[in-house]
Amino acid sequence: MIGMSDSLTSKQKAAQVIIALGADIASSIYKHLQEEEIEKLTYEITRQESVRPEFSDQAMDEFYGLCVAQKVYLEGGLAYARNVLEKAFGIQQGTVLLERVTKTLRTKAFEFIRKADYKNLMNMIVNEHPQTIALILSYARADQASSIIAELPKNIRVDVVERIARMDRTSPEVIKQVEAILERKFESVISVDLLEVGGINYIAEIMNNIDRGTEKFIFDELSRNDPKLSEEIRKRMFVFEDIIILDPLAIQRFLREVDTKEMSVALKGANKDVANVIFENMSQRMGETVRSEMDYLHNVRVRDVEEAQQKIVAIIRRLEEEGEIIIAKGGKDDIIV
């Protein structure tokens, strides 16, 4: 039985929704899923033995909220949806629901791009205009976009980042123009309705996936070109130093996933505040092990420290996506689940 101290992962929540809806409705939902999705969902359902009613109710409430959010967004647009959701669910939860729905809708456009290997995609778009590259990357997965941006020529790298950050929405006509450019390179094209694309939140997600060396280069250049935009992107990112904003339970949760050697290297280059917070939330045994390993570390390369820190950040972001921890971004009152 899942206890009170546990929380459901996104897959467990989906399983709970299917179970609660009943066999008839579940079978009709299955007709709209891909084989891989059916396999994962069915496996998760079979693993569910006993879940406390409050967890099941919470999953259903979240599912209902997302259904409402998608409906009002598609029918009335972003401003209308935000107004309705804030009145219905409160500012904090309404913002979370809207952000999740708009992110999901954005991924439906150019779905064939999201399935492409980033190197192939890179070769296809590297010689295009920066605006075209920015538009295509806005529809790509964040990990694809971050890998491509890291390999773009330095003279257009920051330009592309700025263009993605400044994007808001793109019309079907513009999409069709880009599709025409890619028509000779992809087997099929997709027509789409007006969708939110790019923007500050999305470029922050890309920057969270990028290596720290490229991240530093981009922010150094961007800070000179547009300090305000640079700061807006930074506020929405989660970096290693932001561990201090996590609550103790979240820190203790991600520490269970981190290798002590990785943590030792990461803390070699961490500031005192971050190191103190991490050690405060470690078990005594883990703390002693990490301190001991740090004592034996000498002449550690900056690159190794950055890589270790980035791996830890990746763990934190994965746990956030799975709904196991919460990260406050852009202020203490904004909660992203």
Side-chain angles (χ1 to χ4, degrees):
M1 184 180 228
I2 295 178
M4 288 296 292
S5 62
D6 298 316
S7 60
L8 299 181
T9 66
S10 56
K11 291 179 182 178
Q12 290 173 327
K13 290 177 184 177
Q16 280 302 302
V17 170
I18 292 295
I19 292 169
L21 291 175
D24 290 340
I25 298 177
S27 62
S28 63
I29 292 175
Y30 266 40
K31 294 176 184 178
H32 299 281
L33 300 178
Q34 298 177 0
E35 288 186 9
E36 184 180 356
E37 293 171 330
I38 293 173
E39 182 181 342
K40 289 180 179 179
L41 187 55
T42 302
Y43 173 73
E44 199 60 54
I45 291 172
T46 60
R47 292 179 66 236
Q48 304 272 316
E49 295 180 2
S50 181
V51 176
R52 290 183 181 275
E54 55 264 39
F55 282 101
S56 179
D57 292 343
Q58 184 181 13
M60 287 302 296
D61 288 343
E62 185 178 337
F63 176 68
Y64 171 74
L66 290 171
C67 289
V68 172
Q70 180 165 324
K71 179 177 173 61
V72 296
Y73 175 71
L74 291 175
E75 292 183 354
L78 185 62
Y80 174 73
R82 187 179 301 280
N83 185 38
V84 171
L85 294 173
E86 287 181 356
K87 288 181 179 178
F89 299 100
I91 294 176
Q92 182 173 295
Q93 189 179 356
T95 300
V96 170
L97 291 170
L98 186 58
E99 184 166 312
R100 288 180 63 181
V101 165
T102 54
K103 181 178 179 180
T104 300
L105 289 173
R106 186 188 67 226
T107 65
K108 292 181 180 179
F110 281 135
E111 188 175 357
F112 60 96
I113 286 179
R114 297 171 61 80
K115 295 178 181 179
D117 177 80
Y118 94 87
K119 291 184 178 179
N120 292 333
L121 187 55
M122 170 78 174
N123 292 333
M124 292 174 183
I125 68 174
V126 67
N127 294 320
E128 302 295 342
H129 188 277
Q131 182 63 25
T132 302
I133 296 175
L135 178 59
I136 293 169
L137 294 187
S138 292
Y139 285 104
R141 301 191 314 268
D143 62 295
Q144 288 174 314
S146 61
S147 296
I148 290 172
I149 288 173
E151 294 187 18
L152 285 175
K154 286 189 175 182
N155 62 317
I156 65 168
R157 191 183 293 171
V158 177
D159 188 10
V160 168
V161 167
E162 285 187 276
R163 290 174 186 272
I164 295 175
R166 296 184 189 284
M167 271 188 200
D168 181 15
R169 294 182 175 211
T170 303
S171 68
E173 290 73 23
V174 173
I175 296 296
K176 288 177 181 177
Q177 289 176 17
V178 177
E179 287 177 336
I181 295 173
L182 299 178
E183 192 169 11
R184 68 184 182 277
K185 302 170 182 176
F186 290 96
E187 291 183 356
S188 62
V189 294
I190 301 172
S191 60
V192 297
D193 296 323
L194 189 68
L195 291 176
E196 182 174 304
V197 57
I200 301 287
N201 288 333
Y202 186 59
I203 197 62
E205 185 178 356
I206 290 173
M207 296 295 285
N208 270 326
N209 281 275
I210 219 160
D211 67 274
R212 296 198 72 171
T214 303
E215 174 193 319
K216 185 178 185 304
F217 169 80
I218 289 174
F219 275 121
D220 286 347
E221 293 295 314
L222 199 56
S223 296
R224 284 194 283 269
N225 297 345
D226 193 330
K228 186 176 180 181
L229 179 62
S230 177
E231 182 59 26
E232 282 297 308
I233 296 172
R234 281 184 185 276
K235 284 195 299 185
R236 286 168 172 80
M237 288 179 62
F238 184 88
V239 295
F240 188 78
E241 289 73 23
D242 290 330
I243 286 174
I244 60 174
I245 71 173
L246 296 178
D247 64 59
L249 288 177
I251 297 174
Q252 292 160 23
R253 175 64 187 88
F254 85 74
L255 283 175
R256 299 208 304 264
E257 308 261 336
V258 178
D259 179 77
T260 55
K261 290 183 178 178
E262 205 80 69
M263 180 59 77
S264 302
V265 176
L267 289 179
K268 266 293 186 179
N271 66 49
K272 188 176 295 185
D273 291 338
V274 176
N276 288 342
V277 167
I278 290 175
F279 278 120
E280 285 171 5
N281 286 281
M282 280 183 185
S283 66
Q284 182 177 350
R285 181 178 179 181
M286 185 178 184
E288 290 173 354
T289 301
V290 171
R291 290 183 190 278
S292 175
E293 290 179 352
M294 288 179 69
D295 290 339
Y296 285 99
L297 287 174
H298 301 289
N299 301 322
V300 181
R301 295 182 304 177
V302 173
R303 187 200 314 166
D304 293 332
V305 172
E306 291 177 346
E307 286 180 359
Q309 291 179 352
Q310 192 169 18
K311 287 178 182 177
I312 292 171
V313 168
I315 291 171
I316 294 171
R317 294 183 68 248
R318 173 175 60 77
L319 292 173
E320 180 203 16
E321 290 171 2
E322 293 174 354
E324 297 211 19
I325 64 174
I326 294 173
I327 298 175
K329 295 178 182 176
K332 293 290 183 183
D333 297 327
D334 298 329
I335 304 298
I336 308 299
V337 297

